[in-house]
């Protein structure tokens, strides 16, 4: 896990890849003021995992790829732990080819998602319902969430042939529940 303030940056011309072979988390974030630049994570349970038991203040992600995993970015808040995930900036980053969700967040505030790409994510028929981005702020306060200049393509597609919703859940490229 990343457990202290740090900047992790790809060296000039390098394209570092973290591959988990289909299981385990790629990057587990447990510290404030972390910056990730030019990193690719693939074949993970959660390419970028923010566990529920930690407060996070300050995350910058630029020019990264959280692709071809189960969930691209997973931000947990199990049972309403009242933890925070605040002052988040994600730019020029992809969340492509993730089976269940490109991004799933149960806590989030003061966040900017700019020029992100979500393609072919949330296409596996599973529980919970797959979506491209699923912002499910069911346990606490949230504010100032901006998504701009971004691309959503063939994400959050219902694949079972059933109706387009199940148990009050909806399929979509971008789903916000509060």
């Amino acid at each position: 896990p990343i457990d202290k303030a740090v900047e992790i940056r790809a060296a000039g011309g390098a394209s570092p890849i973290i591959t988990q072979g289909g299981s385990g988390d790629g990057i587990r974030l447990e510290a404030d003021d972390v910056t990730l630049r030019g990193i690719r994570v693939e074949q993970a349970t959660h390419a970028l995992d923010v566990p529920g038991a930690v407060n996070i203040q300050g995350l910058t992600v630029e020019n990264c790829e959280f692709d071809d995993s189960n969930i691209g970015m997973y931000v947990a808040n199990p049972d309403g732990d009242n933890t925070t995930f605040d002052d988040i900036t994600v730019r020029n980053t992809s969340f492509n080819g993730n089976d269940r969700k490109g991004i799933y967040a149960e806590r989030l505030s003061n966040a900017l998602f700019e020029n992100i790409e979500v393609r072919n994510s949330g296409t596996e028929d599973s529980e919970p319902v797959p979506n491209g981005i699923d912002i499910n702020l069911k346990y606490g306060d949230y504010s100032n969430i901006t998504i701009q200049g971004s691309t959503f393509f063939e994400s959050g597609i219902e694949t079972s042939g059933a109706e387009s919703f199940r148990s009050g859940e909806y399929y979509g490229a971008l789903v916000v529940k509060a």
Side-chain angles (χ1 to χ4, degrees), residues 5 31 62 83 98 139-140 143:
E62 294 180 338
T83 54
N98 295 296
Y139 294 118
S143 62

mmCIF file with all atom_site columns, all heavy atoms in Angstrom, residues 5 31 62 83 98 139-140 143:
data_model
loop_
_atom_site.group_PDB
_atom_site.id
_atom_site.type_symbol
_atom_site.label_atom_id
_atom_site.label_alt_id
_atom_site.label_comp_id
_atom_site.label_asym_id
_atom_site.label_entity_id
_atom_site.label_seq_id
_atom_site.pdbx_PDB_ins_code
_atom_site.Cartn_x
_atom_site.Cartn_y
_atom_site.Cartn_z
_atom_site.occupancy
_atom_site.B_iso_or_equiv
_atom_site.pdbx_formal_charge
_atom_site.auth_seq_id
_atom_site.auth_comp_id
_atom_site.auth_asym_id
_atom_site.auth_atom_id
_atom_site.pdbx_PDB_model_num
ATOM 1  N N   . ALA A 1 5   ? 2.652   10.394 1.989   1.00 0.00 ? 5   ALA A N   1
ATOM 2  C CA  . ALA A 1 5   ? 2.580   11.346 0.889   1.00 0.00 ? 5   ALA A CA  1
ATOM 3  C C   . ALA A 1 5   ? 3.746   11.097 -0.059  1.00 0.00 ? 5   ALA A C   1
ATOM 4  O O   . ALA A 1 5   ? 4.901   11.020 0.367   1.00 0.00 ? 5   ALA A O   1
ATOM 5  C CB  . ALA A 1 5   ? 2.621   12.773 1.423   1.00 0.00 ? 5   ALA A CB  1
ATOM 6  N N   . ALA A 1 31  ? -2.899  7.051  2.121   1.00 0.00 ? 31  ALA A N   1
ATOM 7  C CA  . ALA A 1 31  ? -2.221  8.263  2.596   1.00 0.00 ? 31  ALA A CA  1
ATOM 8  C C   . ALA A 1 31  ? -2.774  9.496  1.898   1.00 0.00 ? 31  ALA A C   1
ATOM 9  O O   . ALA A 1 31  ? -3.318  9.419  0.796   1.00 0.00 ? 31  ALA A O   1
ATOM 10 C CB  . ALA A 1 31  ? -0.724  8.158  2.345   1.00 0.00 ? 31  ALA A CB  1
ATOM 11 N N   . GLU A 1 62  ? -2.820  11.784 -13.002 1.00 0.00 ? 62  GLU A N   1
ATOM 12 C CA  . GLU A 1 62  ? -2.708  12.356 -14.343 1.00 0.00 ? 62  GLU A CA  1
ATOM 13 C C   . GLU A 1 62  ? -2.049  11.365 -15.291 1.00 0.00 ? 62  GLU A C   1
ATOM 14 O O   . GLU A 1 62  ? -1.057  10.729 -14.936 1.00 0.00 ? 62  GLU A O   1
ATOM 15 C CB  . GLU A 1 62  ? -1.894  13.652 -14.318 1.00 0.00 ? 62  GLU A CB  1
ATOM 16 C CG  . GLU A 1 62  ? -2.588  14.763 -13.562 1.00 0.00 ? 62  GLU A CG  1
ATOM 17 C CD  . GLU A 1 62  ? -1.789  16.057 -13.541 1.00 0.00 ? 62  GLU A CD  1
ATOM 18 O OE1 . GLU A 1 62  ? -0.559  16.018 -13.729 1.00 0.00 ? 62  GLU A OE1 1
ATOM 19 O OE2 . GLU A 1 62  ? -2.414  17.105 -13.333 1.00 0.00 ? 62  GLU A OE2 1
ATOM 20 N N   . THR A 1 83  ? -15.785 8.119  6.713   1.00 0.00 ? 83  THR A N   1
ATOM 21 C CA  . THR A 1 83  ? -14.451 8.509  6.292   1.00 0.00 ? 83  THR A CA  1
ATOM 22 C C   . THR A 1 83  ? -14.570 9.433  5.088   1.00 0.00 ? 83  THR A C   1
ATOM 23 O O   . THR A 1 83  ? -15.599 9.496  4.428   1.00 0.00 ? 83  THR A O   1
ATOM 24 C CB  . THR A 1 83  ? -13.603 7.271  5.945   1.00 0.00 ? 83  THR A CB  1
ATOM 25 O OG1 . THR A 1 83  ? -14.311 6.491  4.986   1.00 0.00 ? 83  THR A OG1 1
ATOM 26 C CG2 . THR A 1 83  ? -13.313 6.444  7.178   1.00 0.00 ? 83  THR A CG2 1
ATOM 27 N N   . ASN A 1 98  ? -12.939 -2.370 -17.942 1.00 0.00 ? 98  ASN A N   1
ATOM 28 C CA  . ASN A 1 98  ? -13.125 -2.916 -16.594 1.00 0.00 ? 98  ASN A CA  1
ATOM 29 C C   . ASN A 1 98  ? -14.472 -3.626 -16.534 1.00 0.00 ? 98  ASN A C   1
ATOM 30 O O   . ASN A 1 98  ? -15.498 -3.044 -16.868 1.00 0.00 ? 98  ASN A O   1
ATOM 31 C CB  . ASN A 1 98  ? -13.039 -1.789 -15.562 1.00 0.00 ? 98  ASN A CB  1
ATOM 32 C CG  . ASN A 1 98  ? -11.663 -1.177 -15.545 1.00 0.00 ? 98  ASN A CG  1
ATOM 33 O OD1 . ASN A 1 98  ? -10.691 -1.834 -15.218 1.00 0.00 ? 98  ASN A OD1 1
ATOM 34 N ND2 . ASN A 1 98  ? -11.565 0.076  -15.945 1.00 0.00 ? 98  ASN A ND2 1
ATOM 35 N N   . TYR A 1 139 ? -23.845 7.041  2.202   1.00 0.00 ? 139 TYR A N   1
ATOM 36 C CA  . TYR A 1 139 ? -23.625 7.105  3.640   1.00 0.00 ? 139 TYR A CA  1
ATOM 37 C C   . TYR A 1 139 ? -23.329 8.482  4.208   1.00 0.00 ? 139 TYR A C   1
ATOM 38 O O   . TYR A 1 139 ? -23.308 8.647  5.406   1.00 0.00 ? 139 TYR A O   1
ATOM 39 C CB  . TYR A 1 139 ? -22.476 6.177  4.043   1.00 0.00 ? 139 TYR A CB  1
ATOM 40 C CG  . TYR A 1 139 ? -22.770 4.727  3.833   1.00 0.00 ? 139 TYR A CG  1
ATOM 41 C CD1 . TYR A 1 139 ? -22.013 3.974  2.958   1.00 0.00 ? 139 TYR A CD1 1
ATOM 42 C CD2 . TYR A 1 139 ? -23.811 4.107  4.505   1.00 0.00 ? 139 TYR A CD2 1
ATOM 43 C CE1 . TYR A 1 139 ? -22.265 2.630  2.771   1.00 0.00 ? 139 TYR A CE1 1
ATOM 44 C CE2 . TYR A 1 139 ? -24.076 2.767  4.321   1.00 0.00 ? 139 TYR A CE2 1
ATOM 45 C CZ  . TYR A 1 139 ? -23.309 2.036  3.457   1.00 0.00 ? 139 TYR A CZ  1
ATOM 46 O OH  . TYR A 1 139 ? -23.558 0.712  3.269   1.00 0.00 ? 139 TYR A OH  1
ATOM 47 N N   . GLY A 1 140 ? -23.012 9.463  3.395   1.00 0.00 ? 140 GLY A N   1
ATOM 48 C CA  . GLY A 1 140 ? -22.598 10.711 4.006   1.00 0.00 ? 140 GLY A CA  1
ATOM 49 C C   . GLY A 1 140 ? -22.744 11.899 3.096   1.00 0.00 ? 140 GLY A C   1
ATOM 50 O O   . GLY A 1 140 ? -23.370 11.846 2.049   1.00 0.00 ? 140 GLY A O   1
ATOM 51 N N   . SER A 1 143 ? -20.015 16.990 -1.900  1.00 0.00 ? 143 SER A N   1
ATOM 52 C CA  . SER A 1 143 ? -20.172 18.292 -2.547  1.00 0.00 ? 143 SER A CA  1
ATOM 53 C C   . SER A 1 143 ? -19.099 18.481 -3.604  1.00 0.00 ? 143 SER A C   1
ATOM 54 O O   . SER A 1 143 ? -18.063 17.824 -3.578  1.00 0.00 ? 143 SER A O   1
ATOM 55 C CB  . SER A 1 143 ? -20.085 19.429 -1.518  1.00 0.00 ? 143 SER A CB  1
ATOM 56 O OG  . SER A 1 143 ? -18.809 19.435 -0.905  1.00 0.00 ? 143 SER A OG  1
#
